[in-house]
Structures are given as C-alpha cells and as structure tokens.
Amino acid sequence: MGCPSCGARLADGTLVCTQCGTLVNAEQLNALANEAMRAEQENPYAAAQLWRRTLDFLPRDSEPYAAIHQRIGQLSAGMPADAIPPVAPPIQHRRERANDPWPLAVAKTVGSMLLSVLIYANLLPGGWRFAAGFVALMLVHEMGHVVAMWYYGLSASPPIFIPFLGALINLRQDPPNAKVEAIVGIGGPLAGTVGALICYALYHYVPALHTELMLDLAYFGFILNLFNLLPVPPLDGGRITAAVSPWIWMFGLAALVLVFLGQLFLQHTFNFVMLLILFFALPRIRATLRAHGRDNPYYRISRASSWTIAGLYVTLAAVLILATLGTQYLIHYRFGHDVGF
Ligand SMILES: [Zn+2]
C-alpha cells in the first residue's frame, strides 16, 4: 500500500508512514489501543500483549512508541520475565544542536561583553574600570561552566552577557543525569570565586593595586557568586542542589520571596530581577518535583556523588559568606563607605 500523504510504498499493516510520519492506518491503531485500554482493568496480561502489537507498527523514535513502551513495562511489572515477548526500547532523539563555529562564539561573547561594559560604565557609579572588571569576573564565572561542559562533551551556546541580568549559557543538549548537571552548575561559582579571590590577592599583595577599586571588585565578585548559589532554579544553586534533592529548592524559593518582599516593603525598591527569577523558577520547580516523585532515573545518582556535591556546595557557600562579610568590613574600615547589593 502507499502513503496517502507522500506516496511512499509501505508494508501492509503499517500505521505511521516511515517517510513522512503521517498516520496511515489510524482506525487500526485506535481499535488496538481501545481494546488494550478496556483489557487493562480485568486482564493486564492481555492488555500488555495488545499494546505490544501496536509497537510493531510504530516508529521506535516516536512519542507514542515511548509512551506505550513505558505502559507495557508498568503492566508487566508483576509478571514472569518471559510473559511478554521482548520489546525493543524506544530510540530517543536528543535535541542536539552543534556548537557555533568558534569565531562566531567569540564574537557573540565579546560583543555582548563590550555592550555590557558600555552600559554599566554609564549607569553604575564605579565608572568604566569597575564595569570592565565586573564583566571580566562574570566571564570567569561563565568560563567555569564552559570548561565543565567541554569536559562532559555537552553542546551549549557561548556565554551571552545581558546588562543587569548578568550572563547566561543555554545548554543545547540535556545533561545525562543530575550529577553532570550539578558539576556543570558548580563550575561557574567555583571559577568565579577563584576570580574574586585573585582580585583580593592583588589588592593585598600588589602595592600598586592597593585600591578601593580592587577591593570593590573582590566584594562584588564574592556576592555575585554567593547569589548564584541560592538553591533555586534557574540559578546555579538550583542545578547543584537538585543532585542532592530538589526539595532543597523550597528553602531557596522562600529566601527569594523574603528578599523580594523585604526590599519592596522595607527599602521601597521593586527588584525586577528577583521577580524574573521567580517567574522562571515556579514552572521548573513544579515539573521537576513531579518527575522526581516518579523515581526518575535522571535523579538516581550514587550516594557518594550526592554527598560530594553537597559538601562542595556547603563549603563554597561558607567561603563566600565569610569573604563577602570580610571584604564588606574592609571596605568600610579602609575607605569609609558601605557597600550593599
Ligand atoms: Zn552560573
């Protein structure tokens, strides 16, 4: 028989055209599926057999194939291993996009960096030196993510700088599991903290750099990376703590809401960035907690990995809290002004 849509020659009984994906024999598929659904209550064995038959006609990389394959697995859970003939697992297409050629990637990053420096230099009190230093610190943070992604061979966009939102990298490929996502997540704050510590060391050890600018850069570097450790997606802390338990996000969410309301009612400032983070966080939290509840293999990582990530996270957060308070005190003591974010 031929496909009514593209005319490709198809084997008898085919349900979905192998060339164009059109449903060729919808009634037959519906009949089988209805029969299988009716059988599920009284005779799961028969239902699994019927579902098994529909798979012969469906492409292995289609959504229905994956869904039905999963249903057969659930129905045959209590049955002897050989009750249902073996079923080929679905083929999962990863939505992969290749990396940009490197001149384009560099152009995107450097272009958006220059734009950010220009805007910060004009709108922030620190002038262009502070703007350039701050954007460089953000680049160090982003390169930490990039190195971790290179290590795991993950495809991603180059870092793009967005004035007043910082910088971001879009993963073009899903990480294989929560452990890899956590390591890619902690790479940024880890590198960023080293960058801010270098600013502090330059301030401390190089007499020519014993300036307020250097100390300000160290301070804002510390607080930037500390903020990114808040355990809530889409921040880095959200990606890291998901490897321990996504329920930790509840603390991050509560902290975000408290900070937002505190600023609104006590300081009378409306923090748009916070609102934006909340806006992105809520749907992701809902979806992940649901998937997590279903014992998703994505979150099945070894206990040792979970503990290592948790230890790294707590250590880094403690270092950043101390460093932030320390530099804040130094700036007040040495230069007589108070910094806040
Ligand atoms: Zn980051």
Side-chain angles (χ1 to χ4, degrees), residues 1 7 20-21 26 55 62 73 82-83 113 116 123 125 150 165 182 188 204 213 227 233 240 258 266 308 316 324 332:
M1 74 179 191
C20 67
L55 288 189
S62 67
D82 56 354
M113 271 177 83
S116 281
L123 296 178
W150 276 341
L165 280 181
H204 196 78
L213 172 76
F227 176 73
I240 302 164
L258 278 178
L266 301 178
T308 310
L316 192 61
T324 303
H332 175 82

Side-chain angles (χ1 to χ4, degrees), residues 141-142 145 167 185 188-189 228 236:
H141 173 110
E142 295 305 318
H145 292 306
N228 267 290
D236 295 332

Side-chain angles (χ1 to χ4, degrees), residues 258-271 340-341:
L258 278 178
V259 170
F260 178 76
L261 292 179
Q263 288 184 324
L264 189 63
F265 291 113
L266 301 178
Q267 299 171 355
H268 303 287
T269 47
F270 184 85
N271 194 327
F341 208 67

Side-chain angles (χ1 to χ4, degrees), residues 197-324:
L197 282 170
I198 290 174
C199 287
Y200 180 75
L202 289 175
Y203 163 82
H204 196 78
Y205 294 108
V206 182
L209 295 174
H210 205 72
T211 58
E212 190 179 348
L213 172 76
M214 232 42 219
L215 204 52
D216 277 352
L217 282 176
Y219 169 77
F220 282 102
F222 290 134
I223 207 164
L224 169 80
N225 287 286
L226 184 60
F227 176 73
N228 267 290
L229 280 187
L230 261 180
V232 71
L235 297 178
D236 295 332
R239 296 174 172 277
I240 302 164
T241 49
V244 182
S245 165
W247 289 104
I248 299 173
W249 292 353
M250 291 303 147
F251 294 103
L253 194 63
L256 265 188
V257 172
L258 278 178
V259 170
F260 178 76
L261 292 179
Q263 288 184 324
L264 189 63
F265 291 113
L266 301 178
Q267 299 171 355
H268 303 287
T269 47
F270 184 85
N271 194 327
F272 183 70
V273 173
M274 291 282 191
L275 200 68
L276 210 62
I277 293 171
L278 279 173
F279 177 79
F280 282 112
L282 292 174
R284 170 103 205 265
I285 292 176
R286 253 189 61 190
T288 305
L289 290 182
R290 274 187 187 167
H292 188 69
R294 278 197 239 107
D295 193 23
N296 194 321
Y298 185 83
Y299 293 102
R300 240 178 269 145
I301 65 173
S302 76
R303 209 162 247 233
S305 302
S306 279
W307 279 107
T308 310
I309 290 162
L312 251 174
Y313 175 81
V314 171
T315 309
L316 192 61
V319 166
L320 283 170
I321 289 171
L322 289 175
T324 303

Side-chain angles (χ1 to χ4, degrees), residues 32 47-48 50-51 79 83 88 119 126 136 140 152 183 196 226 263 268 278 297 300 316 322:
L32 266 174
L50 286 163
W51 283 127
M79 295 177 195
I119 292 175
V140 171
Y152 287 106
I183 293 171
L226 184 60
Q263 288 184 324
H268 303 287
L278 279 173
R300 240 178 269 145
L316 192 61
L322 289 175

